[in-house]
Amino acid sequence: MVPYPASGSPEYVRAELAPDTQTTRYLDADGSLVRAPGHGTSTGTNPPTGTGNPSDGKGPGGPSGGGDQDTGNDGDQ
Amino acid sequence: MTDGSRPVVVVTNLDDATTDLVLAELHGREVPVVRFDSGDFPAQLTFSAQIEREGWSGTLTTPTRSLQLEHARSLLYRRPSGFAFPHLEAQDARFAVGQARHGLGGLLTSLPDCLYVNHPNRIGDAEFKPAGLAAAVQSGFTIPPTLLTNERDAAQRFAERYAPVLYKPLNVPVYLRDGVSCTVSVEPVTADQLDDSVAGTAHLFQAIVPKVADIRTTVIGRKVFSVRIESDALDWRTTYGRHTYRAVSTPPDVTASLFSYLERFGLVFGAFDFAVTEEGNWTFLECNPSGQWAWLEDETGLPMISAFADLLEKGTRP
C-alpha cells in the first residue's frame, strides 16, 4: 500500500448544496464562497478531489467495488 | 406532468465536482434536478412510497426539494457516501443499514420509466474484475493474459511464462494509514517475489502489455470519446502532471465492442482503459462504470459535459 499522490489542500471549511442549482458550494471559515477544489485541473488523486480524480470510486466517498453499499448487491457474492 | 418538468435525480456525495459540472449545465437548460446523498438519510431525507399497478409512487423530501418518485426522468448514480448510523451501537447500526439499503436503496433501483446512469446494481456487477474480463472477451476485445489465484505455484508459473507481469488488486477498499488514503502501487512482480503469502487471499496477475500509450475511452449514451494519454508510467493514474492528452478517433471494431460490453451489463456509461501497442492495437485493461471523465474535457475540449447532460435530460435509453 502506498499513499495516493497528495492533492492541494482544499481551502474550504464547509460545503453545502445550493438550493437553486443543486451544485455544491464551498465556503471558507468566514462563510465566503471559495473556488471548488479540483475544478480546472487534472492533478490530484487523493480523494476527495474534483474533476481530475480518475481513481474511480476508491475514495472514502464512493462505492469501492465488491457490490454497491446502498442497494441490493451484497459484498461477498 | 410534462416531460420538461420531470426531474433528473442525482444520488452522490456532497464533494463531486464532476457532477457539479453536469448539474450546472442542466440548470442552464432549466431541467429540474433533485440531488441527495444516502448519507443524508434519515436525518435530512424522508420518504414514503406505495406500490400500484404502474409501479412505485410516492414522495422523497430533501432539505431543498420534494421529489415525486414516479416522475423521475433519469437517475444519475455516482458516489453516495453510504448509509450510516453512527449514533447507534454496531449491531443496531448494522440492522438499520440493512433496512435502509433494502428499503430506500431498493426503492431507488425500482423507479418506473426512469433511465439509470448507471443502475446501481449493474454498477455492482460490472465492478467485479472477473466479470468485466469475461464480458470483454465476449465483446471481442483483446485482453492481456490474466491469472486469478491464491496458489503460489500457479502464480510463479504464470510470472515466469508471461514475464513481465504485474499484480493488480481486485478491489480497492478504503485503506487508511495514519489517516492518509492509500492504494496498491501497480508494479511489475517477478516469480521469486511470490511467496506463500499468495495463499492468503485472491490475487490477480496480468501480463504487462508492451504499450506506447494509454487510451481512456468514455462512452456517454451513444457518444464515444477517446483520448490518447502519453506518459512514462505503467499506471498513468498515479502520476499526474507528466501527461499529454490528445483526442483520437475510435476504431470501428473497438466501438462495436464498447457497446457490446455495456449492453452485457446494462450500462449506458463507461470509462474504459486501453493500452495501445506499437502496432496500434488497443488492449482492454478495464472498464469503470462510475469513472471520472470531466478532466478530459478540460484537457481536450471534447464536449463531454454536454453529452452527459443530453443523456440525463433525454431520459430514454440511448
Side-chain angles (χ1 to χ4, degrees):
Chain A
M1 288 281 172
V2 296
Y4 277 104
S7 57
S9 50
E11 55 190 10
Y12 70 95
V13 295
R14 194 160 63 82
E16 63 181 25
L17 217 56
D20 54 343
T21 60
Q22 300 282 285
T23 56
T24 299
R25 56 188 181 198
Y26 297 86
L27 307 166
D28 67 13
D30 302 327
S32 305
L33 283 176
V34 297
R35 211 168 82 105
H39 277 292
T41 174
S42 67
T43 59
T45 60
N46 185 14
T49 63
T51 60
N53 176 12
S55 63
D56 292 337
K58 290 159 187 161
S64 55
D68 186 81
Q69 297 160 349
D70 290 345
T71 58
N73 284 349
D74 283 313
D76 53 354
Q77 37 190 263
Chain B
M1 174 167 239
T2 62
D3 277 1
S5 55
R6 293 178 64 192
V8 172
V9 179
V10 177
V11 185
T12 193
N13 71 85
L14 193 56
D15 193 18
D16 183 352
T18 295
T19 291
D20 282 343
L21 295 170
V22 176
L23 298 195
E25 172 79 16
L26 289 172
H27 184 69
R29 300 182 186 188
E30 298 183 344
V31 176
V33 170
V34 179
R35 172 178 175 169
F36 57 90
D37 181 13
S38 53
D40 299 341
F41 180 78
Q44 298 188 76
L45 208 57
T46 60
F47 76 101
S48 298
Q50 282 192 282
I51 184 85
E52 311 281 351
R53 289 193 73 82
E54 299 76 29
W56 286 103
S57 65
T59 312
L60 181 143
T61 307
T62 78
T64 57
R65 289 283 194 279
S66 177
L67 166 69
Q68 280 302 122
L69 290 158
E70 67 276 21
H71 291 162
R73 80 166 85 183
S74 55
L75 187 146
L76 170 57
Y77 192 88
R78 276 277 296 174
R79 298 175 177 185
S81 61
F83 292 113
F85 295 83
H87 58 289
L88 299 181
E89 292 193 13
Q91 278 204 113
D92 290 336
R94 196 158 57 235
F95 180 81
V97 167
Q99 305 314 300
R101 285 182 63 219
H102 288 252
L104 178 53
L107 176 65
L108 292 173
T109 64
S110 310
L111 300 180
D113 192 25
C114 173
L115 174 73
Y116 286 93
V117 185
N118 280 309
H119 193 287
N121 294 357
R122 305 292 89 76
I123 293 173
D125 293 343
E127 278 182 341
F128 282 78
K129 282 198 167 77
L133 289 164
V137 170
Q138 290 160 354
S139 302
F141 285 124
T142 302
I143 63 164
T146 302
L147 174 72
L148 281 174
T149 190
N150 79 325
E151 295 173 337
R152 185 192 65 178
D153 290 352
Q156 285 182 333
R157 278 197 304 275
F158 183 85
E160 280 164 7
R161 178 168 175 199
Y162 293 104
V165 305
L166 51 76
Y167 163 77
K168 270 188 191 173
L170 284 149
N171 165 251
V172 186
V174 175
Y175 195 104
L176 298 176
R177 245 182 213 167
D178 300 328
V180 176
S181 182
C182 292
T183 187
V184 174
S185 174
V186 176
E187 285 170 15
V189 293
T190 55
D192 59 350
Q193 288 175 301
L194 296 167
D195 58 25
D196 287 335
S197 64
V198 170
T201 188
H203 293 67
L204 185 152
F205 298 98
Q206 203 162 55
I208 294 175
V209 180
K211 67 178 182 186
V212 293
D214 289 279
I215 302 265
R216 165 59 72 89
T217 298
T218 310
V219 182
I220 301 170
R222 299 301 295 178
K223 300 270 181 64
V224 178
F225 302 95
S226 288
V227 177
R228 185 179 171 109
I229 303 168
E230 312 253 356
S231 79
D232 53 6
L234 182 60
D235 182 355
W236 56 268
R237 297 171 305 179
T238 57
T239 59
Y240 282 86
R242 302 207 299 269
H243 302 159
T244 60
Y245 298 90
R246 183 161 54 89
V248 294
S249 61
T250 311
D253 60 324
V254 172
T255 301
S257 296
L258 291 167
F259 288 117
S260 167
Y261 184 98
L262 294 176
E263 183 66 28
R264 278 165 207 282
F265 283 113
L267 303 170
V268 296
F269 163 86
F272 292 80
D273 286 322
F274 297 95
V276 186
T277 63
E278 205 161 3
E279 300 79 37
N281 295 321
W282 295 28
T283 302
F284 173 95
L285 297 177
E286 61 183 73
C287 171
N288 189 317
S290 320
Q292 297 281 23
W293 49 268
W295 96 103
L296 293 169
E297 175 157 337
D298 282 347
E299 296 287 349
T300 62
L302 288 170
M304 300 168 79
I305 294 168
S306 149
F308 215 103
D310 288 348
L311 183 63
L312 291 169
E313 180 179 4
K314 209 166 172 195
T316 52
R317 211 160 173 84

